[in-house]
Amino acid sequence: MRYTVSTEIALPRESVVRLLADPVHLPRWLRGLVLHEPIDGLHGEVGTRSRVVLRTGGQEMEAVETITRREPSDLHGIPAPRVVHFDREIVADGMWSAARERFTEAGPGTTLWTSENEYRFSSLSMRLAAPLLRGVFRRQSRLHMQDFVAFAERGADVRDAEG
């Protein structure tokens, strides 16, 4: 199953990617985050594997996230035409997914965030249900993006809405 979602953020691209790359901010915009800790490597660096625990609908899901691409590695002084890439793979029980995040300048002080997502399931029941669940997965991705935009533009914290 594959889909793409995108949104515009009313901040310069460099500010957006630096906020997104800073692990201290994850709990403020990643709804349901219980834990995000490196197993090996440093947060955000290519090759780093992290244990991720998310709670949704009263259930917890544990996964291992691997950073597969981050370009440029230095997020300071990024030339205007350059596309910033953050790619990661996530493996959980019965599921593999890849997210390919792209950040481009959409205009003065505005960033376009495009997220290409791919999911593969190992169980027959999930493989059969995946086409029916595409909308659920897409809505979840959009919600995470909207939460990040609210955090980045207005300082909103998803924990305030959850508690």
Side-chain angles (χ1 to χ4, degrees), residues 24-39:
V24 75
H25 299 302
L26 282 171
R28 295 182 65 195
W29 66 269
L30 189 54
R31 190 177 298 266
L33 181 67
V34 175
L35 179 73
H36 191 286
E37 65 180 2
I39 298 169

Side-chain angles (χ1 to χ4, degrees), residues 56-133:
T56 181
Q59 296 183 18
E60 284 191 1
M61 180 190 91
E62 185 169 333
V64 174
E65 173 192 71
T66 303
I67 304 301
T68 57
R69 183 177 184 187
R70 178 175 162 176
E71 293 176 12
S73 57
D74 182 1
L75 301 177
H76 297 81
I78 304 166
R82 180 113 189 238
V83 176
V84 176
H85 299 268
F86 283 119
D87 295 359
R88 64 192 186 285
E89 292 181 357
I90 298 171
V91 178
D93 190 28
M95 183 200 81
W96 171 92
S97 73
R100 295 168 192 91
E101 316 292 346
R102 306 289 179 266
F103 299 87
T104 55
E105 289 189 358
T110 304
T111 301
L112 175 64
W113 176 9
T114 303
S115 180
E116 299 172 10
N117 299 270
E118 178 180 357
Y119 288 85
R120 296 181 194 155
F121 304 99
S122 59
S123 75
L124 178 60
S125 60
M126 279 303 294
R127 287 196 307 265
L128 293 173
L132 303 172
L133 296 173

